[in-house]
Amino acid sequence: MTTQPLLDDRRRLPLRPMANKVPEATACFWIIKVLTTGMGETASDLLARVLGPIPAVALGGLALVASLAVQLTVRRHIAWVYWTAVVMVSVFGTMAADVLHVGLGVPYAVSTPLFLAALAAVFAFWYASERTLSIHSIHTRHREGFYWAAVLATFALGTAAGDLTATAGLGYLGSVVLFAAAICVPALAHRWTGLNAVAAFWSAYVITRPLGASLADWMAVGHPRGGLALGLEPVTLAWTAAIAGFVAYLATSQRDRRGGVAA
């Protein structure tokens, strides 16, 4: 008996797809997600202050492209690679929203629905192409491209929404309370009313952005603006260290590659 028939059968098998590139939505996932949103907010403001708006945007854009290039190159989920890309999306997404408001004078009341429309368009094209928005199906380059486009849109939307509530009278602490309550709604709706898991996931994902950004801003800004006056540098460094600690834990335990909440 020869092995040639076996080799012929193997050639006819389809190529094995990539492993899923997105971590499981565990408690650590949500904690890191909120931390990245706050760190991205203060880091963006810090870079703009130190380098100037235009160099900061250019540097943020280059870092985003580089981190996403690495993420798209690997064929499985790697905690450090994935969360580095998320951090860079957070920083650049903040800059994108701020450029519209500060640089072009677009009010937050206008930019917020614009970013919401952009996110809806990404979801519409993604679903029309793939028939799913599940994070458990990100195992092709095409789907991963849609996923990161959605992530970038959620960060820009969340930044604009958080700044809208903060400047509309709620302030940063009031915004924290508002979005902390709002993020519970998708989870409760999923549990008690049967809201689709994918819809619940993406709803909560969007809300993490204004929640984390409002919390970081409240910690960093001065007392006249209703903050704790801790400063941009300490808050950025502290949140970066927290992110690194949680990601190191996931990288060694690999708990983000099993279990979690289906979405």
Side-chain angles (χ1 to χ4, degrees):
M1 178 178 177
T2 68
T3 60
Q4 189 60 41
L6 296 177
L7 294 175
D8 291 340
D9 289 341
R10 183 175 299 176
R11 294 191 190 100
R12 287 192 291 268
L13 291 175
L15 293 176
R16 185 176 63 179
M18 298 183 299
N20 194 60
K21 299 286 291 295
V22 177
E24 298 288 346
T26 61
C28 277
F29 174 91
W30 293 110
I31 292 171
I32 300 173
K33 178 60 171 62
V34 172
L35 289 171
T36 61
T37 64
M39 180 269 186
E41 177 76 14
T42 56
S44 174
D45 292 342
L46 181 60
L47 287 172
R49 189 183 70 185
V50 173
L51 302 177
I54 294 178
V57 170
L59 180 62
L62 289 174
L64 173 62
V65 170
S67 62
L68 284 179
V70 175
Q71 168 64 23
L72 292 170
T73 300
V74 300
R75 295 188 59 82
R76 61 181 178 85
H77 169 67
I78 300 174
W80 288 108
V81 174
Y82 174 85
W83 287 111
T84 298
V86 172
V87 166
M88 292 302 104
V89 170
S90 176
V91 173
F92 189 77
T94 301
M95 291 176 175
D98 289 344
V99 163
L100 278 182
H101 180 71
V102 179
L104 302 179
V106 178
Y108 292 125
V110 175
S111 61
T112 299
L114 284 177
F115 286 128
L116 178 60
L119 177 60
V122 172
F123 281 149
F125 283 115
W126 183 358
Y127 189 80
S129 174
E130 304 297 325
R131 312 308 297 177
T132 180
L133 303 178
S134 172
I135 65 167
H136 289 268
S137 65
I138 312 300
H139 47 65
T140 68
R141 298 277 187 246
H142 199 229
R143 291 184 178 182
E144 192 175 9
F146 280 120
Y147 172 80
W148 287 107
V151 169
L152 182 58
T154 64
F155 273 96
L157 168 61
T159 299
D163 288 336
L164 174 63
T165 60
T167 56
L170 281 180
Y172 293 115
L173 183 57
S175 296
V176 171
V177 175
L178 171 65
F179 292 116
I183 202 170
C184 298
V185 174
L188 294 174
H190 173 60
R191 182 176 179 84
W192 298 109
T193 69
L195 176 67
N196 179 273
V198 174
F201 171 84
W202 283 111
S203 298
Y205 196 93
V206 170
I207 299 171
T208 59
R209 175 54 185 169
L211 172 60
S214 298
L215 181 57
D217 276 334
W218 174 65
M219 295 174 66
V221 301
H223 297 303
R225 298 174 62 189
L228 297 180
L230 298 180
L232 291 174
E233 295 91 339
V235 173
T236 301
L237 290 174
W239 286 49
T240 300
I243 293 168
F246 277 105
V247 174
Y249 165 72
L250 291 178
T252 54
S253 68
Q254 296 192 354
R255 291 183 63 85
D256 57 344
R257 298 182 62 185
R258 59 183 182 272
V261 179

